[in-house]
Amino acid sequence: MVNPTGPAPTMTGGRANDDLKIIAIEEHWNSIRLRDALDRLQNGARDESVAFNTMGGNRARLEDIGRGRIEAMDAAGIDVSILSVVTPATQALPAREAVALAREANDEAADAVRAHPARFRAFATLPTGDPRAAAAELERCATRLGHVGAMIHGRTGSRTLDDPAYDDLLGTAARLHQPLFIHPQIPSNELRDAAYRGLDPLIDLGLATFGWGWHMEAGLAALRLILRGTFDRHPDLQLVLGHWGEMLLFWMDRVDSLSGLATHLERRVSDYITTNIHITSSGMLQERLLRHALDFTGADRVLFSTDYPFHRPDAVAVRRFFDAIPDPADRSKIASGNAETLFGPQDRSLTSTAAPSNRPALRSWSA
């Protein structure tokens, strides 16, 4: 019997690497009340990508942040998962409703971490429809719940993450050393009308999401933050991009050409990409993608993730991925070392500004 609060078992063929600790950082879950709220949205406001959350057993997997999730981790040889609310989280909801549901979801995630402290950590979900409330919720999650960062989307309605209204949120993330994972989201209806529709409806949706649009949206959000001078104002701010950098690494030579126009920036665009942005695999475990990422950024900026439940690589696939990294030090960094450095060392304590709480924060990566 697997101990749900203990470390993943070591077994031949059941662990990706018997001597390698693995932390997966983009592992999705969903709150039932949040799911129901999104389902109630009318067509004009509804995010069509929620359809993927119910396909192929995804709904049950997303809503299990207990024993079933841990069994899936054990089968893939994953020691620790960082839980994150699945897209579109609360960002598609009216601000007042989003504030309440984000708080509930963050408390629920904290309860799961508390129940399984050796296996889970959590990202906060933020009600960005109200920028001030989002900053306050990030601070609450960091100082009272022990969350290790936040997963966020690059646009709320028509307001992009680089809008000045979010500067306090970004500053809070930098001050509290809470990395922001910019997750893909579906393009706006206006952009979909202009560029992503007119084919078969299912193809339209696929093109606007996993086939292209999701990744352009996330990469553009990060690029706009750079060009807005965000990292000059908040040099400690760290971002995470999934899917091997959401196009940015593949197009870095070209986006660096913007440096000649963005004369207000203190550094070149590529410098911010390689010093303020971390890259994760999102279940795309192809060796060629790993090699390309390492060509454009260092091994200390690469993280592992499976994008559960949308990708569910087995232990063989995970083993093959890590075996393709020839340097044992780099292998250890990508498997867990970089995550522990970015999201908090084992002895990291709460900030002195933390308010008293009956929910003890959990920062250690091992119980």
Side-chain angles (χ1 to χ4, degrees):
M1 178 69 70
V2 173
N3 177 2
T5 62
T10 299
M11 53 187 176
T12 303
R15 291 289 306 273
N17 285 268
D18 290 340
D19 59 348
L20 193 65
K21 179 180 181 181
I22 298 176
I23 298 173
I25 73 155
E26 185 187 357
E27 315 307 303
H28 296 297
W29 75 283
N30 207 11
S31 153
I32 294 174
R33 279 175 50 79
L34 176 54
R35 180 204 73 204
D36 291 344
L38 291 168
D39 285 345
R40 287 193 298 268
L41 292 176
Q42 300 301 308
N43 287 340
R46 183 177 172 82
D47 185 327
E48 291 182 56
S49 68
V50 298
F52 302 131
N53 299 345
T54 63
M55 292 180 176
N58 284 342
R59 176 172 166 174
R61 293 186 182 97
L62 285 167
E63 293 172 7
D64 184 343
I65 46 176
R67 182 174 297 275
R69 176 69 61 106
I70 290 169
E71 289 174 355
M73 291 165 57
D74 289 342
I78 292 169
D79 294 280
V80 181
S81 286
I82 302 183
L83 304 172
S84 56
V85 174
V86 70
T87 188
T90 60
Q91 290 189 230
L93 296 170
R96 185 172 181 178
E97 187 176 17
V99 170
L101 287 174
R103 188 179 184 91
E104 288 183 18
N106 290 327
D107 287 347
E108 187 177 348
D111 288 342
V113 174
R114 188 166 298 104
H116 308 287
R119 309 307 302 275
F120 293 150
R121 293 293 176 270
F123 285 133
T125 187
L126 302 178
T128 54
D130 183 336
R132 294 180 66 180
E137 181 63 8
L138 178 61
E139 182 140 10
R140 185 183 80 94
C141 288
T143 61
R144 299 184 67 174
L145 301 187
H147 287 21
V148 297
M151 182 166 283
I152 197 168
H153 302 89
R155 175 179 40 79
T156 302
S158 60
R159 183 157 55 188
T160 56
L161 186 57
D162 62 287
D163 188 286
Y166 292 118
D167 201 58
D168 184 47
L169 170 61
L170 300 170
T172 299
R175 173 172 56 85
L176 296 176
H177 301 285
Q178 291 279 291
L180 298 180
F181 192 130
I182 300 182
H183 192 272
Q185 68 185 134
I186 199 166
S188 67
N189 278 323
E190 292 81 5
L191 182 54
R192 291 184 68 193
D193 286 342
Y196 291 99
R197 289 192 169 112
L199 303 168
D200 174 85
L202 282 179
I203 295 175
D204 290 352
L205 181 59
L207 182 63
T209 55
F210 61 84
W212 193 257
W214 269 347
H215 313 295
M216 296 295 288
E217 289 285 304
L220 180 60
L223 184 56
R224 287 184 62 98
L225 285 170
I226 293 171
L227 296 173
R228 185 74 76 167
T230 303
F231 300 104
D232 293 336
R233 295 191 305 279
H234 308 297
D236 291 333
L237 179 63
Q238 294 292 318
L239 304 181
V240 180
L241 290 176
H243 307 98
W244 296 109
E246 308 292 11
M247 310 287 193
L248 271 187
L249 291 187
F250 297 93
W251 209 243
M252 194 160 78
D253 289 341
R254 292 291 284 180
V255 299
D256 204 26
S257 301
L258 292 167
S259 304
L261 302 176
T263 56
H264 60 289
L265 296 180
E266 296 176 3
R267 296 182 282 152
R268 296 187 63 81
V269 169
S270 58
D271 289 339
Y272 298 100
I273 295 174
T274 56
T275 60
N276 293 89
I277 296 178
H278 297 255
I279 306 300
T280 188
S281 54
S282 302
M284 302 167 63
L285 303 187
Q286 293 88 348
E287 182 182 351
R288 65 182 182 276
L289 298 177
L290 170 65
R291 289 198 307 267
H292 187 276
L294 293 176
D295 278 345
F296 284 89
T297 194
D300 57 352
R301 312 296 294 185
V302 178
L303 305 156
F304 176 77
S305 62
T306 73
D307 201 4
Y308 183 91
F310 307 103
H311 293 277
R312 299 191 304 278
D314 61 18
V316 173
V318 174
R319 181 189 302 114
R320 186 181 302 118
F321 173 78
F322 284 109
D323 285 348
I325 304 171
D327 186 328
D330 288 349
R331 191 181 308 136
S332 180
K333 287 180 182 180
I334 294 169
S336 60
N338 293 338
E340 291 180 328
T341 299
L342 178 62
F343 299 113
Q346 292 186 7
D347 61 351
R348 180 173 175 178
S349 61
L350 292 176
T351 175
S352 60
T353 61
S357 173
N358 59 1
R359 294 175 175 271
L362 294 162
R363 305 296 297 187
S364 173
W365 289 98
S366 60

